[in-house]
Amino acid sequence: MSLGEFDLIERYFNRVHHAADQGPRRAVVPNGDDCAVIAPAAGMQLAVSTDTMVEGRHFLSTVDPARLGHKALAVNLSDLAACGAKPLAFTLALTLPRVDERFLAGFASGLLALADEHDCELVGGDTTAGPLAIGITVMGEVPPGQALLRSGAQPGDELWVSGWPGEARLALEAFRGTLKPPLSGEAFEAARLRMEQPSPRVALGLALRGLASSAIDVSDGLLGDLGHVLKRSRVGAAIALGALPVSPWLASRPVAEQQDNVLAGGDDYELLFTAPAARHAEVLAAGQAAGVPVHRIGLVQAEAGLRLLDGGWGAEGPVGWPTANRWTSFDHFRSA
């Protein structure tokens, strides 16, 4: 006999049923009623974000269910990280073409393991029949006035990115069969892990509170997401191409491919942020404390637009000359 809607919720997603001895952590009233009731810490503000993932558009049908559960929550936790918010709770809206207990067991294990890692409580949601889609709304808490926003970048700020953007796109192109030469088995598995099981930079986001002047997570590509910051902050930027972080798996690829993946790949869930140049050492220390490498890649400028500069980063700033921008489809870089 197949599971019904309420049976599968009870079996795979009702944490009170499986861990009644723990009781609710943040939820005054946990899932099981028409509404959950949650209580942020006294004096804190709520940060809320929602993402939806659809099979065939946001993930492949071949993905391991546990990795899919992990990623479904990770992309939402990444939004909290970009805001400098501490995870609090989340809801899950799950659309399933059929009840597949193997899929549900794996999906729930990956989802809830990451939730436990970040002390983020599942407080409710919905299940329905239809094409496979996952919608999560996540809630976090942040002290008043300390949320990291896209609108705070100032001329003279340094531009930073965490981790190694570009690996997720490398894996996608490997799946598509476009890479020549193809990746080695070890490189493919490493890149695939970054695509299917990204690490939300929550600890770094918390460490950047009061330090970064603006922040965004890299979900649609570094240049595309930078464009949102530039537009909201009403500034421009210069990026030194030679300063872009290149992971060991990308380093063996042609330079043009490296730049395409790092600058326009997407699906990385790294943090792209700005901070005053005078706080350079503090930014490095924040990355070290969070266990995440951070890389200075450019400068915020008063003049609107984006300038890509050949060469690396010198003591006096970017060196070289503006290079042809083959990513000109990002029209917002040319807006005032």
Side-chain angles (χ1 to χ4, degrees):
M1 181 177 178
S2 63
L3 292 178
E5 175 185 357
F6 301 106
D7 296 322
L8 73 86
I9 293 172
E10 183 74 7
R11 178 173 297 183
Y12 296 106
F13 300 109
N14 192 335
R15 306 306 300 283
V16 176
H17 172 78
H18 288 292
D21 57 321
Q22 296 179 11
R25 298 187 299 275
R26 279 3 183 305
V28 178
V29 178
N31 59 346
D33 280 83
D34 288 316
C35 291
V37 178
I38 63 173
M44 301 291 272
Q45 294 178 334
L46 279 179
V48 182
S49 182
T50 297
D51 270 300
T52 300
M53 296 173 57
V54 179
E55 184 180 31
R57 180 167 293 272
H58 299 100
F59 59 91
L60 303 175
S61 61
T62 55
V63 66
D64 177 84
R67 290 187 177 183
L68 180 60
H70 173 105
K71 185 172 183 177
L73 181 57
V75 302
N76 286 271
L77 293 178
S78 182
D79 285 331
L80 291 185
C83 191
K86 182 180 179 181
L88 183 68
F90 72 102
T91 62
L92 168 67
L94 184 61
T95 303
L96 297 166
R98 61 192 176 282
V99 175
D100 181 338
E101 293 196 51
R102 177 185 170 277
F103 170 86
L104 284 166
F107 178 85
S109 69
L111 176 84
L112 298 176
L114 186 63
D116 289 343
E117 180 181 335
H118 291 280
D119 194 22
C120 190
E121 187 174 2
L122 176 59
V123 295
D126 187 37
T127 58
T128 188
L132 181 58
I134 307 148
I136 286 181
T137 295
V138 70
M139 290 152 275
E141 56 187 16
V142 62
Q146 292 192 32
L148 303 179
L149 305 176
R150 300 177 180 183
S151 56
Q154 298 293 320
D157 284 353
E158 294 178 330
L159 177 65
W160 298 78
V161 69
S162 69
W164 306 100
E167 290 186 330
R169 177 61 177 270
L170 184 65
L172 180 60
E173 295 305 324
F175 273 114
R176 289 173 171 171
T178 65
L179 297 181
K180 300 185 184 307
L183 291 179
S184 68
E186 182 183 13
F188 173 68
E189 288 304 325
R192 180 180 185 177
L193 184 65
R194 290 281 290 122
M195 181 180 79
E196 296 180 342
Q197 198 170 337
S199 299
R201 304 305 191 185
V202 174
L204 179 61
L206 295 176
L208 291 174
R209 283 199 312 220
L211 179 57
S213 54
S214 70
I216 191 171
D217 74 324
V218 181
S219 56
D220 298 323
L222 190 153
L223 291 187
D225 290 316
L226 174 60
H228 300 312
V229 173
L230 301 186
K231 184 175 182 179
R232 292 293 296 272
S233 296
R234 299 182 181 274
V235 294
I239 290 179
L241 294 178
L244 295 175
V246 178
S247 79
W249 308 118
L250 269 175
S252 62
R253 311 300 301 177
V255 172
E257 185 181 314
Q258 294 176 22
Q259 293 177 348
D260 286 344
N261 288 353
V262 173
L263 292 174
D267 221 20
D268 295 306
Y269 304 101
E270 297 292 352
L271 295 188
L272 181 68
F273 60 95
T274 61
R279 309 195 72 176
H280 181 96
E282 293 174 78
V283 172
L284 291 175
Q288 186 173 25
V292 181
V294 292
H295 314 272
R296 180 181 63 169
I297 62 172
L299 274 180
V300 177
Q301 299 178 326
E303 182 184 356
L306 174 70
R307 285 154 286 281
L308 301 177
L309 306 174
D310 287 329
W313 195 276
E316 302 303 320
V319 297
W321 54 90
T323 189
N325 183 2
R326 61 181 179 272
W327 301 279
T328 52
S329 60
F330 297 105
D331 293 339
H332 42 252
F333 291 141
R334 299 192 296 273
S335 62

